[in-house]
Amino acid sequence: MPRVLLAHQPRSAKAVAEVGCHLQLSGHTHGGQFWPWMHFVQWQQPWVAGLQRVGEMQVYISRGTGYWGPPLRFGAPSEITCIRLKKADDLAP
């Protein structure tokens, strides 16, 4: 049975991978939201956006559709993510 965790912040991924989770879905970073802030977000979070890997576990960080603080986005476009989970034997080589 696959283990999927919804975790607000991606920085929990290392601990989650150690307990055997297969996929972590996160947000929190807003993809950095605007330049140059996106570079400072990396000091607090291991990743800002996209699909990453921690050992055997995958982590997806959504940029989200909104913003935090100042009502703007620059260099970090909004996204709505659609994730489809499939059994390993359903995957084409």
Side-chain angles (χ1 to χ4, degrees):
M1 182 64 76
R3 290 179 220 115
V4 179
L5 175 72
L6 300 175
H8 184 69
Q9 297 187 26
R11 68 179 169 194
S12 62
K14 184 176 178 188
V16 171
E18 289 174 1
V19 296
C21 195
H22 299 103
L23 173 64
Q24 176 175 317
L25 303 173
S26 295
H28 181 72
T29 67
H30 301 272
Q33 189 169 328
F34 56 88
W35 184 91
W37 182 249
M38 60 188 58
H39 301 294
F40 297 107
V41 173
Q42 292 176 344
W43 291 348
Q44 184 200 30
Q45 302 293 332
W47 311 284
V48 176
L51 185 62
Q52 310 297 329
R53 186 173 284 282
V54 177
E56 295 297 312
M57 183 181 80
Q58 292 185 340
V59 181
Y60 185 78
I61 303 99
S62 170
R63 293 178 184 274
T65 59
Y67 53 83
W68 168 88
L72 66 96
R73 292 180 81 102
F74 180 72
S78 298
E79 72 173 285
I80 296 174
T81 307
C82 178
I83 295 182
R84 181 179 298 162
L85 302 177
K86 291 186 171 190
K87 294 188 304 186
D89 48 335
D90 287 347
L91 300 175

